[in-house]
Amino acid sequence: MQPVFNLRNMKILVTGGAGFIGSHTVVELQQAGYDVVAIDNFENSSPQVVDNIKKISGKPFDFIKVDIREKHALNDVFVTHPDIKAVIHFAAYKAVGESVEKPLAYYENNVGGTLNLVEAMQAHGVQNLVFSSSCTVYGDVKADALPITENSPIVKANSPYGNTKKIGEELLFDVAKSSTTKIVALRYFNPIGAHDSALIGELPNGVPNNLIPFVTQTAIGMREKLTIFGNDYPTRDGSCIRDYIHVVDLAKAHVKAIEFLNTHTDQYAVFNIGTGNGNTVLEVVAAFEKVSGKKLNYAFGPRREGDVVQIFASCDKAANILGWKAERTLDNALETAWKWELHLQALKGANQ
Ligand code: NAD
Ligand code: WQD
């Protein structure tokens, strides 16, 4: 759908812009013609990511090292850039297991940071916000409730991290209903893969919690073997099912969300962002072996606490209202993840 007026050259603030999803979104925003100012404190990323974004897009953008927990520094971003028209908010901690050990750090960063951001936006008349939410808000889902829609019940979170996403949605709903701030919450399923250039991708800190980085690190020899957490689930091959979405497709959904905010009057809208397909862990491993040509060393282990059996998205709402749908395949996502891992290894070799 063509925007009703020229949205291009609008300035968008991206918090967590040096992160996995944020960096890919900055690239897509620039390629869609938007001006970008990105902020990040580099707690889970690096300044090199900022340089690589510029290499990919060939366009400059403003980057400021800022911690969203520091109110004054965050406020100064809006003073320096009074032409910010919308914000995409990625900056947060996201490790489920770590959140169980450090709940206060997660509430301070993820909830406190969001509060600081909304206060700064309202102080400077910025009315449009896209919020990074997660399918984790749905909890464990019965097979007959799949594919899951946005109307599915939000359940008690099974981790402090998941609760920060649930609280984030709830507080932003209240903000939207009590002010002129307009909110789009995007519930991501499982983002995987990397940019085709292999210049940006997922940078897990230490031992990866997530499946795909563990798979690629095992294939490249960094890890001895992949442990598949459970093969006795009530699924077609006994391993859990997830909706794995290419991070570039996810990034493009944010461009559509910005256009929605500029062309609609809805105060608050939620969209599932996935592929609509579910794959088991074993299917992912088989697909990875096919696209990489590598035989993956794996063994079955016990179920992981907190894992849901299966979940995958209904994305009809995003298709019908945002005009967005995932275009890339699981194979392509795994190819780009593998190319990214090879790039990281080459960098390590060059730096030794
Ligand atoms: P990421 O850790 O790669 O990116 C987050 C970025 O925010 C990092 O660069 C980090 O340095 C920065 N950051 C963290 N705290 C900050 C602070 N206080 N001030 C400034 N910068 C800060 O994670 P990601 O995978 O890109 O996730 C981005 C968002 O998407 C998060 O809100 C996450 O909860 C959400 N999300 C991620 C997934 C996933 O599987 N990756 C799934 C659903 C939702
Ligand atoms: C996927 C599947 C594991 C690692 C998490 C967060 C969620 C969101 C996305 C932030 C599961 C299996 C994994 C391994 C395995 N993050 N697995 N061996 O758990 O669906 O979602 O990341 O918002 O909030 O919960 O993703 O990649 O950790 O696991 O067998 O070494 O792979 O059991 O079935 P998950 P994941």
Side-chain angles (χ1 to χ4, degrees):
M1 177 182 75
Q2 283 308 312
V4 290
F5 49 89
N6 180 14
L7 307 176
R8 299 302 182 250
N9 301 322
M10 267 181 58
K11 184 169 279 184
I12 312 291
L13 169 63
V14 179
T15 78
F20 172 40
I21 306 169
S23 56
H24 288 82
T25 302
V26 171
V27 168
E28 295 304 325
L29 284 168
Q30 288 192 298
Q31 288 179 346
Y34 291 94
D35 286 339
V36 174
V37 49
I39 62 174
D40 204 300
N41 68 354
F42 296 131
E43 264 196 274
N44 198 35
S45 51
S46 88
Q48 184 60 51
V49 173
V50 177
D51 296 339
N52 288 343
I53 292 170
K54 292 174 181 172
K55 280 183 195 157
I56 293 169
S57 67
K59 296 179 184 172
F61 67 95
D62 293 306
F63 178 84
I64 312 166
K65 186 181 178 189
V66 168
D67 188 317
I68 61 169
R69 289 165 293 196
E70 292 167 12
K71 285 188 173 189
H72 297 300
L74 181 58
N75 189 66
D76 285 351
V77 173
F78 290 88
V79 172
T80 312
H81 295 276
D83 49 348
I84 289 169
K85 290 289 182 284
V87 182
I88 304 178
H89 181 32
F90 293 109
Y93 294 150
K94 60 157 181 176
V96 171
E98 183 186 56
S99 76
V100 176
E101 295 156 26
K102 305 175 185 172
L104 288 184
Y106 272 68
Y107 286 109
E108 185 200 21
N109 199 31
N110 295 10
V111 179
T114 301
L115 284 172
N116 289 349
L117 177 64
V118 172
E119 285 170 358
M121 287 175 64
Q122 293 193 338
H124 294 273
V126 179
Q127 299 188 352
N128 297 318
L129 174 63
V130 180
F131 176 65
S132 290
S133 192
S134 167
C135 63
T136 200
V137 301
Y138 295 119
D140 214 340
V141 180
K142 296 212 178 328
D144 60 8
L146 293 170
I148 198 157
T149 72
E150 293 82 353
N151 301 321
S152 304
I154 305 307
V155 300
K156 181 176 175 351
N158 58 14
S159 72
Y161 165 73
N163 205 31
T164 68
K165 289 302 168 182
K166 182 170 175 289
I167 294 169
E169 284 197 18
E170 290 165 346
L171 78 85
L172 291 172
F173 179 84
D174 290 340
V175 166
K177 293 304 173 198
S178 62
S179 71
T180 55
T181 303
K182 296 192 298 179
I183 310 281
V184 166
L186 299 182
R187 292 176 182 159
Y188 313 157
F189 281 69
N190 288 62
I192 65 169
H195 192 266
D196 293 328
S197 66
L199 286 173
I200 54 176
E202 195 167 3
L203 280 171
N205 254 336
V207 178
N209 300 299
N210 293 127
L211 177 65
I212 303 309
F214 208 107
V215 164
T216 57
Q217 289 187 7
T218 301
I220 209 152
M222 277 177 69
R223 309 283 165 208
E224 192 255 331
K225 72 173 173 0
L226 169 73
T227 301
I228 297 180
F229 301 137
N231 67 332
D232 59 349
Y233 284 101
T235 63
R236 50 186 177 266
D237 63 19
S239 61
C240 293
I241 292 173
R242 295 289 185 275
D243 185 331
Y244 297 96
I245 177 172
H246 197 300
V247 65
V248 171
D249 275 333
L250 176 56
K252 290 177 187 285
H254 290 79
V255 178
K256 290 291 187 183
I258 290 291
E259 290 181 6
F260 172 85
L261 282 165
N262 284 290
T263 54
H264 291 70
T265 56
D266 307 52
Q267 282 298 114
Y268 187 87
V270 180
F271 297 93
N272 285 341
I273 303 297
T275 66
N277 305 309
N279 284 106
T280 70
V281 177
L282 282 168
E283 288 166 354
V284 170
V285 168
F288 177 79
E289 291 182 328
K290 179 180 67 175
V291 300
S292 66
K294 304 287 281 186
K295 185 83 185 83
L296 199 71
N297 184 23
Y298 70 84
F300 292 111
R303 294 182 175 188
R304 179 172 68 174
E305 182 71 27
D307 268 341
V308 302
V309 180
Q310 55 183 320
I311 189 167
F312 55 94
S314 161
C315 305
D316 293 347
K317 189 178 173 187
N320 298 333
I321 297 176
L322 293 184
W324 171 90
K325 65 189 306 230
E327 294 166 350
R328 291 174 172 234
T329 62
L330 175 69
D331 285 2
N332 177 250
L334 294 169
E335 276 167 349
T336 56
W338 179 230
K339 199 174 151 196
W340 166 242
E341 191 66 61
L342 290 168
H343 170 80
L344 290 176
Q345 185 189 51
L347 284 179
K348 285 181 192 134
N351 293 339
Q352 272 166 359

